Amino acid sequence: MLMPILEHEHRDALQLAMSHLVHEGSFAALFEAAVDAIVIADDRGIIERVNASCERMFGYKRGELVGRNVSVLMHEATGEQHDDYLLRYGAGGAPQVIGRGRQDVARRSDGSEFPLHLSVSEFTAEGKTWYVGMIRDISDLVAAERRRDELIHELRASREQFRLAATRDALTGLANRTQFLDDLDRSIGGAVPAGAELAVAFIDLDRFKLINDTQGHDAGDELLREVGRRLVGTARPDDVVARLAGDEFVVLLCGEMSRASLTAELDRILEALSVPITLPGGVVNLTVSIGAALYPADAREPEQLIRAADIAMYMAKREGGSSVRVHSAEMTEYLSRRDMIERELRAAIAADGLEVHYQPIVRLSDWSVRHVEALVRWHHPVHGAFSPADWIPIAEETGLISAVGAFVRQQSLTDLQSWDALGRPPMRVAVNISPLEFRGRNLAQSILEQIERSGLQPARLLVELTESALGDAAREIVDDLHVLRAAGIETAIDDFGTGHSALSHIASLPADVLKIDRSFVKPLPGDAGSRAIVEGIVMLAHRLGLEIVAEGVETTQQADYLTEIGCDFGQGFFFARPMSSDQLVGWLERVEELAA
């Protein structure tokens, strides 16, 4: 690369040196002024003349070079080669360049070395042959070329790093979403001609946030890396494993795939991820939810296929986690309705579109009202009444349950104030609280502040939680219940008998009332098994000092039987359906008239 740059300049300098030999006096000054080193040697390689640049370049005095072989100026490994290089050529008459643009290593007087560019010309005059060597120190050019090569290498390395950053997940080293979509798109393109199926598995870690919060983010990162390693370990040669974001992973399962074989693959992945993982903070028994979708049966576009697998994963998670589901059309229909309900619920909350109805809790011995339970209702102007069973779970999943709970409590306090203003005897209202309302906030303090703003006594409000919410006795829930009890607010355990609690466990909680689930009341009094369960709950609860409410009472026979075994209270259509605030006032007045 250096030869084209230097060749023209060397040709001129060589002509100068040859002219110098012929016309000594005319060109002596120019010979000395030349920038390149000029060495003139005879046909044996013995130096006869050098210029000032040669002295400066090699560190020799002129007298130290004249009479010595040109090899003194060359690197030891190449000196002899240059000696032979010159001697190969005999007298040839007219001047001619015999060595064009050689690049070698020269040696200075102090032994240091440097790269040079060498051109040698031979010419004959008056029966004698000379060789003229034109030498240029190309250290700067070589350094520039080396730096250029380094920059090219750095640029290529940077490009590779950029490519990896753009296509790989920094934490796990797996493919990221961008790379996965590219791989999926290519796989779909390759699958179409053959008519083969492939699948996408969507994997989400159950309760990852809890692990992150209790053991720290470093432990959470290591958990994600280990999940990535295990997924790679289960992958087949053509499969692609990627991390989309957070605790979400996907696997592209390539090759012919049926629903039966896909389920087997998902079970294999689930089994690999279910092996306990040791982290610095302790052993984690990881559970995951896995959903999958098939191409082309479930979707034909990459994003749609991932979405279908995500929907299946969501359905697996709804079942409690640690399960697998394969996508179906019914799942998409369900999610479409779910999205519609979420949108409309947000609008209803913003526009005060929810209502609160009340259902009395009646003392079985005299039909007096202990308190009423507040039940939220949503009547859509277009779709009509939405069953709470349809939209309360969606409110919990989307985080809207906190706004719903706050509305119910506020409306209940407002209605209590209106009943007091009518001169009614003081009534108490029980409000249901989702366990999700406790997460990340001081719920007890929020409830007490709502009550304080109303000017009512805290005891006018009760709270109800389902038994399943207390199954693990989460510390934050228990602590808040103790705060509420200290303020005079009772706690009722709803749907008792359907969860995993034992009465001994309930005794350690700040509970005041047990509500027997309607599933045990419905078969009464004819079903012997239900009678045994209900009688056992009533007897043991009374020994623990807890009051008992039977839910779902609908017949005289049920009410009579529950009264006979000593159940304290009943709730159900037999006594009254849920009603608006005004309807409740009228119902209470009629009951009081009958009692009188």
Side-chain angles (χ1 to χ4, degrees):
M1 181 161 182
L2 294 174
M3 186 176 68
I5 301 173
L6 301 174
E7 183 177 320
H8 178 73
E9 296 178 4
H10 274 215
R11 186 181 302 115
D12 293 343
L14 287 167
Q15 202 68 46
L16 169 64
M18 290 184 285
S19 298
H20 167 73
L21 289 174
V22 178
H23 306 287
E24 181 77 26
S26 302
F27 292 94
L30 292 176
F31 177 75
E32 291 298 324
V35 174
D36 293 327
I38 304 176
V39 178
I40 301 174
D42 65 15
D43 56 5
R44 297 171 301 159
I46 302 301
I47 299 173
E48 291 191 358
R49 182 163 295 185
V50 298
N51 66 351
S53 291
C54 183
E55 291 182 291
R56 290 191 299 271
M57 187 179 297
F58 287 90
Y60 287 102
K61 296 297 182 182
R62 202 171 306 222
E64 296 175 307
L65 291 175
V66 174
R68 300 180 67 177
N69 191 282
V70 292
S71 61
V72 70
L73 301 177
M74 309 310 296
H75 184 274
E76 290 182 0
T78 59
E80 292 185 6
Q81 295 177 10
H82 277 270
D83 196 12
D84 294 340
Y85 176 70
L86 297 176
L87 295 176
R88 279 202 305 270
Y89 299 92
Q96 58 180 319
V97 177
I98 59 174
R100 187 186 298 272
R102 291 175 61 90
Q103 183 174 329
D104 277 309
V105 179
R107 180 178 56 189
R108 298 186 182 93
S109 61
D110 62 3
S112 61
E113 298 169 352
F114 65 94
L116 60 80
H117 184 274
L118 172 65
S119 290
V120 179
S121 289
E122 173 201 31
F123 70 94
T124 301
E126 300 177 358
K128 184 176 180 181
T129 299
W130 286 275
Y131 294 96
V132 180
M134 309 299 299
I135 303 170
R136 176 168 291 185
D137 183 347
I138 58 172
S139 299
D140 291 341
L141 290 174
V142 170
E145 282 198 332
R146 185 181 298 113
R147 179 55 183 156
R148 182 206 62 187
D149 293 342
E150 291 173 353
L151 290 174
I152 291 174
H153 177 75
E154 291 173 4
L155 179 60
R156 289 172 178 168
S158 296
R159 286 176 176 172
E160 179 63 14
Q161 290 177 353
F162 181 78
R163 186 191 68 80
L164 291 176
T167 60
R168 312 303 293 183
D169 173 54
L171 179 64
T172 63
L174 300 174
N176 62 11
R177 184 182 187 89
T178 300
Q179 183 63 50
F180 185 78
L181 284 171
D182 287 345
D183 292 339
L184 179 55
D185 190 51
R186 283 193 296 270
S187 296
I188 287 176
V192 172
E197 290 185 317
L198 53 83
V200 169
F202 198 109
I203 299 137
D204 185 84
L205 312 189
D206 300 329
R207 295 181 293 278
F208 173 71
K209 184 178 184 300
L210 178 62
I211 298 170
N212 230 10
D213 291 344
T214 56
Q215 295 201 29
H217 291 287
D218 288 344
D221 288 349
E222 178 55 32
L223 176 62
L224 294 175
R225 283 190 286 266
E226 177 60 22
V227 169
R229 287 190 288 267
R230 292 189 181 187
L231 288 175
V232 171
T234 63
R236 300 165 305 174
D238 294 332
D239 293 346
V240 178
V241 180
R243 179 185 175 219
L244 295 188
D247 60 339
E248 296 176 344
F249 295 81
V250 284
V251 179
L252 171 59
L253 300 163
C254 298
E256 294 188 8
M257 188 73 59
S258 65
R259 292 191 179 271
S261 62
L262 175 57
T263 300
E265 285 297 318
L266 299 181
D267 287 338
R268 189 169 64 87
I269 294 173
L270 181 66
E271 182 180 359
L273 296 179
S274 298
V275 177
I277 297 175
T278 302
L279 298 175
V283 176
V284 172
N285 293 301
L286 182 66
T287 62
V288 300
S289 299
I290 306 177
L294 279 166
Y295 171 89
D298 297 319
R300 291 183 173 272
E301 297 297 326
E303 288 280 10
Q304 294 174 358
L305 194 60
I306 293 175
R307 171 62 176 162
D310 187 14
I311 290 172
M313 183 280 297
Y314 168 79
M315 301 304 290
K317 191 173 284 289
R318 285 187 78 246
E319 296 177 356
S322 192
S323 59
V324 301
R325 290 291 300 273
V326 177
H327 182 268
S328 66
E330 292 75 16
M331 292 181 183
T332 300
E333 292 173 5
Y334 168 83
L335 261 294
S336 177
R337 175 174 171 78
R338 175 190 177 279
D339 291 343
M340 181 274 292
I341 289 177
E342 179 186 350
R343 289 194 305 272
E344 296 295 332
L345 178 57
R346 289 185 185 276
I349 293 172
D352 295 328
L354 302 180
E355 300 175 353
V356 176
H357 286 193
Y358 301 93
Q359 188 172 34
I361 310 297
V362 176
R363 189 182 299 276
L364 292 174
S365 61
D366 60 8
W367 279 42
S368 62
V369 177
R370 184 188 194 276
H371 62 270
V372 295
E373 180 182 357
L375 300 167
V376 64
R377 294 291 183 263
W378 178 19
H379 192 279
H380 193 276
V382 176
H383 302 289
F386 280 114
S387 168
D390 289 337
W391 64 270
I392 291 293
I394 295 174
E396 291 182 323
E397 293 167 7
T398 58
L400 294 174
I401 194 63
S402 294
V404 172
F407 164 76
V408 172
R409 291 190 294 274
Q410 186 57 53
Q411 187 60 51
S412 297
L413 293 169
T414 299
D415 288 337
L416 281 171
Q417 290 172 318
S418 68
W419 300 335
D420 289 351
L422 293 173
R424 300 278 323 150
M427 179 64 68
R428 295 193 300 167
V429 176
V431 293
N432 290 278
I433 297 180
S434 166
L436 298 178
E437 292 186 71
F438 290 91
R439 292 185 178 177
R441 57 194 298 248
N442 191 338
L443 182 62
Q445 187 61 35
S446 177
I447 292 174
L448 293 176
E449 288 174 357
Q450 278 187 295
I451 297 174
E452 183 178 2
R453 288 193 295 269
S454 73
L456 298 170
Q457 293 297 313
R460 300 287 296 278
L461 214 60
L462 297 83
V463 296
E464 288 192 11
L465 290 90
T466 60
E467 178 191 3
S468 58
L470 295 172
D472 297 328
R475 189 74 260 161
E476 59 187 356
I477 296 179
V478 174
D479 289 345
D480 274 2
L481 293 181
H482 278 294
V483 171
L484 294 176
R485 170 178 265 190
I489 298 176
E490 292 184 351
T491 298
I493 308 302
D494 200 7
D495 299 336
F496 187 78
T498 60
H500 306 287
S501 298
L503 283 174
S504 59
H505 175 64
I506 294 296
S508 65
L509 298 174
D512 303 282
V513 179
L514 290 186
K515 300 185 73 174
I516 303 174
D517 186 72
R518 66 184 64 247
S519 62
F520 298 114
V521 175
K522 184 176 182 179
L524 294 177
D527 184 75
S530 295
R531 290 200 306 270
I533 292 172
V534 172
E535 290 174 14
I537 292 174
V538 170
M539 180 182 65
L540 293 175
H542 282 165
R543 290 191 177 183
L544 292 171
L546 303 175
E547 291 185 320
I548 296 292
V549 176
E551 297 182 290
V553 179
E554 297 183 355
T555 68
T556 301
Q557 291 80 7
Q558 290 170 343
D560 290 344
Y561 170 74
L562 291 166
T563 303
E564 180 183 338
I565 65 173
C567 183
D568 302 308
F569 303 94
Q571 177 182 2
F573 291 172
F574 178 71
F575 305 104
R577 291 177 177 271
M579 33 192 162
S580 67
S581 174
D582 292 340
Q583 291 172 333
L584 176 65
V585 171
W587 182 87
L588 289 171
E589 290 174 350
R590 290 193 297 273
V591 169
E592 290 164 357
E593 289 175 1
L594 291 174

